[in-house]
Amino acid sequence: MKHKISGVINDSIAEKLNISAGDYLISINDNQIMDVLDYHYLANEEKLTITIEKVSGKIRSYEINKDYSEDIGIIFENAFMDDYKSCHNKCIFCFIDQMPPGMRETLYFKDDDARLSFLQGNYITLTNMKDEDINRVIKYHMSPVNISVHTTNPKLREMMLHNKNAGRVLEYLDRLYDADIEMNGQIVLCKDVNDKKNLDETISKLLTYAPVMKSLSVVPSGLTKYRDKLYPLKLFEKQDAIEVLNQIEYWQKKAKEKLGINFAYASDEWFFLADNKFPPEEEYDGYPQIENGVGMVRSLINEFEDAMYLSKKKIRFFKRKRTVTIACGTLVEPVIRNLADKYMIKHPYLTINVKAIINKFFGENITVSGLITGGDLINALKEEIVGDALFIPISMLRSNEEVFLDDITVSEVENTLQVPVVIVKSNGYDFVSRLNEY
């Protein structure tokens, strides 16, 4: 197996060896390279022999002496150096199965690749893995591995994932634990399926893997309006959320006695739904699952207040007052409105309108900001007085692009609403900094 090189980094080892675009990497220390994990593991060594097939077809070997973990500087045509492994499950809560037709193809791709768990923090179900895959995780000490567990009941897991191997692969948790491979767990909770007694049993079992399993998040299943012919899941209601939070709090007390940390964490949606206050920052133990929606609101509030305290911005006086609009999901709207009110008290020249965008595209049950489309944004604001700028969170956009889920661009929103769009990063410091510009 050989891997095409698309370029090299300036002043790198590869450039000094005259390795160039169009060449192929054949091996490192006579080991064949299957993918990016092999490459990084083998290329870390201080003494290397790399074999390259030049554009001319000649095979050349290079002896390299370098610092441990120093990058050789090769850029590959396929950054992953292999195809992604797609998910073969048919989970009863799968969000991708609830997507409307006619969207771009990449949005329908389900990844379930252990390498992505290691490289990008994605969650995997383990159902795509074989014994040799687990052996490689252990050999390379890939850590942490993020695992979508959902339930530790094998039969129930087979039903939820609609995969006959879903129960059997739970044995891999034991192998990863024995090999001291760090793990993070996730439970997507479905009403009357894996909640209540089963949730207790799952948290109890996963707690036995601590401290190798570092954390566990519990998030509610998201239900769009596109659920025809899918498993008849129900929405969680306020009393359900209160009970879930009580269960998690019980296990947090158990975990704190054993580990000194809470271990199991409720995602922010539960606190909104239960109408409960968010825990103080110390209860999140450094936010190990913030990318999974655990503690994002608490972090935002604390960062915002810290930024307000540290802000040296002087009050400016304009010939006219300024007005901006902040668009967000209906879930977080009360929090954003509260922060906006605090900002306006300190900066009375600025009027901040907070607009909760109802999700018509996926359905009104979808309340998070990250799933608001450009179309819904335009339709909600086209009759509104937006003011001098429209603020949106970066989570509304595709990664590293100014494009919404429905392929509408930020420029199209600006042109339609005739107002500049300000993209705010997912932290309170950037929120205050952006407001300070107006």
Side-chain angles (χ1 to χ4, degrees), residues 414-433:
E414 289 179 324
N415 292 335
T416 303
L417 299 179
Q418 289 295 290
V419 66
V421 171
V422 178
I423 301 167
V424 183
K425 296 177 183 177
S426 302
N427 65 75
Y429 296 109
D430 196 56
F431 190 8
V432 172
S433 176

Side-chain angles (χ1 to χ4, degrees), residues 82-134:
D82 191 18
D83 294 330
Y84 291 104
K85 289 185 178 180
S86 62
C87 179
H88 299 298
N89 302 318
K90 190 72 173 176
C91 297
I92 61 174
F93 52 82
C94 179
F95 194 84
I96 293 176
D97 287 342
Q98 303 177 68
M99 298 271 277
M103 301 181 73
R104 64 183 179 276
E105 188 177 344
T106 54
L107 290 176
Y108 300 104
F109 179 78
K110 305 179 187 180
D111 73 74
D112 195 12
D113 199 312
R115 298 165 296 186
L116 283 174
S117 179
F118 173 65
L119 294 169
Q120 299 179 12
N122 295 26
Y123 276 78
I124 60 171
T125 65
L126 302 175
T127 56
N128 249 345
M129 302 187 73
K130 300 177 182 178
D131 286 344
E132 52 264 37
D133 298 315
I134 291 294

